[in-house]
Amino acid sequence: MVTKYLLAVSVLAGLAQAQPTYSGEVSRIMQEKCQMCHRPNDIAPFPLSSFEDAQTWAADIKRVVSEGIMPPWKPVEGHGDFQDAYNLTAEQRRAIIDWVDAGAPMGDPAELPEPKVTDSEWRLGEPDLVAQMAESYSPPRGRDVYRCFVVSNPFDETMYVSAVDVLPGNRKIVHHVIMFIDEKGQSPELDAKEEGPGYTCFGGPGFDISINSMLGGWAPGSFPRHYQDGLAIQIPKGARLVMQVHYFPTVTAEDVTRVGLYLAQTDVKKLVRFIPVLNDRFRIPPGAENQVVTASFPIPPGLGAKIIQVFPHMHLLGRQIKVEFTPLGRETIPLIYIDNWDFNWQGFYNYKEQVSLPALSNIRISCTFDNSENNPRNPNNPLKEVRWGEGTQDEMCLAFLGVTFDNEDLLRTIGILNKNKGVKSR
């Protein structure tokens, strides 16, 4: 009898020890996978910074974790190996569910990890420079508005940026933001031609652009990340910074969007530039449930590169997007695949290791759209044909690849630094 009693006590003690607690397992999972969004004044509807937060929302946490809704990590495993991936492992998902089922116990407070959530509104901490609109802007309601705002460049020398963060002033009306570098200083003249803050800039920022012109951007669900040491984007001396903001206001509201720049802290060995791969000539018929659109971009001879990051982009009809490349005479290499596209969760994905992109490789993008009444996100009623466009009710099939080129001298020789050509669409 005594032996059976001791055995039962031992089993119960083992079960108790294995039972997940907040202080033991759950707090660490939430630090790693949840708190980048679930923090004050960010995209998530409530913070998960403390035990009290997690306990309050425990039932909801179990539901969205069980259904795979949260965390909203979109890339399919095996199609790119990315930094800071916040998808849950099977063990982490099970630990959260078991914790909620057990009554969401605190555990031993002494086991709690050091808090990682900071008081800064900037996810990477305070920037070296904050660029913002000179005054607030209130876009007209009920239609897409693209507005460019010229931001003064305070640097009197060439500077190098390792990360860019964007804080939309009003998330209810800001659709996305792209930061451009105006190397020739053409933007102030464009700004002077229109009254009020900024100038209209559908179709691009309005000045000459090249693969040097993109500084960074923001779309719902995106997260800022530092480049690896030795990599940065160059802001030439005297260049202007231009903030292109896409608004789609359903309410009358004002916006003052800010951009935080983080300067490189180590010697810069390679410059990051952006290759766009896109198709801007497609048509999606009304009712089409599985319309596939493709585009390709061939890497010229002698211009091998390393891929640092990828930014895939579609609008509301998008369902799947895949980016891959095929080196000459070799098998295709996947870069990213999202099989359940959601406009509200997108962004720049940085690779853990730089991906070698040999010269003569062919980069390919494939986008799948659903323009039927079965798509709950379809903004068009009645259904209509949809083409490439910058409006919310238009569509895009686009991916930016952040790369460093192996031969910068050849870039200058053939003039690629001054032009942005070569994208093929079909």
Side-chain angles (χ1 to χ4, degrees), residues 1-14:
M1 179 68 69
V2 174
T3 302
K4 291 182 178 180
Y5 173 77
L6 292 176
L7 179 60
V9 170
S10 177
V11 171
L12 291 174

Side-chain angles (χ1 to χ4, degrees), residues 362-378:
N362 188 50
I363 307 171
R364 177 181 167 89
I365 182 174
S366 175
C367 304
T368 303
F369 299 99
D370 182 356
N371 191 20
S372 73
E373 60 184 10
N374 296 323
N375 182 357
R377 299 190 182 102
N378 197 326

Side-chain angles (χ1 to χ4, degrees), residues 111-139:
E111 296 180 355
L112 284 170
E114 289 295 320
K116 290 187 177 180
V117 176
T118 67
D119 294 332
S120 175
E121 59 187 335
W122 302 94
R123 296 187 182 189
L124 299 179
E126 291 303 311
D128 296 300
L129 171 71
V130 176
Q132 70 177 54
M133 296 153 53
E135 56 183 303
S136 64
Y137 178 68
S138 181

Side-chain angles (χ1 to χ4, degrees), residues 172-393:
K172 294 181 179 179
I173 62 174
V174 176
H175 184 283
H176 75 257
V177 179
I178 298 179
M179 283 294 292
F180 289 98
I181 300 171
D182 175 14
E183 297 179 85
K184 299 180 180 179
Q186 299 169 305
S187 53
E189 182 178 350
L190 297 171
D191 193 11
K193 292 180 179 179
E194 292 192 32
E195 295 183 358
Y199 62 93
T200 303
C201 55
F202 265 98
F207 50 81
D208 296 337
I209 62 173
S210 71
I211 59 174
N212 296 320
S213 300
M214 187 171 177
L215 179 59
W218 173 89
S222 62
F223 303 100
R225 294 176 178 86
H226 284 283
Y227 290 125
Q228 298 168 2
D229 288 347
L231 305 181
I233 296 175
Q234 182 185 79
I235 301 179
K237 177 182 177 179
R240 294 299 188 111
L241 306 182
V242 177
M243 180 191 307
Q244 184 194 55
V245 186
H246 177 190
Y247 297 103
F248 187 71
T250 57
V251 296
T252 300
E254 294 187 345
D255 173 61
V256 179
T257 288
R258 293 173 289 160
V259 177
L261 303 182
Y262 299 82
L263 302 182
Q265 301 300 310
T266 61
D267 291 340
V268 176
K269 299 177 181 179
K270 287 286 186 179
L271 297 181
V272 178
R273 298 182 171 91
F274 292 93
I275 297 175
V277 185
L278 61 91
N279 184 333
D280 60 357
R281 301 174 184 175
F282 58 84
R283 298 183 178 186
I284 309 173
E289 294 186 357
N290 192 39
Q291 182 79 16
V292 178
V293 174
T294 63
S296 63
F297 180 85
I299 301 298
L303 278 181
K306 302 293 188 298
I307 306 174
I308 311 301
Q309 63 184 177
V310 59
F311 175 70
H313 181 66
M314 299 187 292
H315 289 179
L316 299 176
L317 299 184
R319 298 304 303 130
Q320 297 183 2
I321 186 167
K322 178 184 291 186
V323 186
E324 57 194 3
F325 72 95
T326 305
L328 184 65
R330 292 164 52 188
E331 294 184 355
T332 296
I333 298 173
L335 290 175
I336 193 169
Y337 175 39
I338 296 176
D339 63 353
N340 185 21
W341 174 262
D342 186 341
F343 179 84
N344 295 306
W345 296 102
Q346 55 181 306
F348 291 85
Y349 296 93
N350 288 27
Y351 295 97
K352 287 182 179 179
E353 302 291 338
Q354 300 177 23
V355 181
S356 180
L357 179 66
L360 300 179
S361 295
N362 188 50
I363 307 171
R364 177 181 167 89
I365 182 174
S366 175
C367 304
T368 303
F369 299 99
D370 182 356
N371 191 20
S372 73
E373 60 184 10
N374 296 323
N375 182 357
R377 299 190 182 102
N378 197 326
N380 301 308
N381 185 16
L383 300 179
K384 67 176 185 179
E385 180 181 86
V386 176
R387 304 182 185 184
W388 168 278
E390 295 190 325
T392 301
Q393 295 181 341

Side-chain angles (χ1 to χ4, degrees), residues 90-160:
E91 292 77 12
Q92 290 173 329
R93 198 176 299 276
R94 186 73 259 164
I96 292 175
I97 294 171
D98 289 346
W99 172 70
V100 176
D101 288 343
M106 171 62 179
D108 184 357
E111 296 180 355
L112 284 170
E114 289 295 320
K116 290 187 177 180
V117 176
T118 67
D119 294 332
S120 175
E121 59 187 335
W122 302 94
R123 296 187 182 189
L124 299 179
E126 291 303 311
D128 296 300
L129 171 71
V130 176
Q132 70 177 54
M133 296 153 53
E135 56 183 303
S136 64
Y137 178 68
S138 181
R141 289 177 56 190
R143 62 185 178 89
D144 290 282
V145 175
Y146 274 73
R147 200 77 177 173
C148 280
F149 304 92
V150 182
V151 181
S152 298
N153 181 358
F155 305 123
D156 57 3
E157 59 182 324
T158 297
M159 300 301 293
Y160 299 90

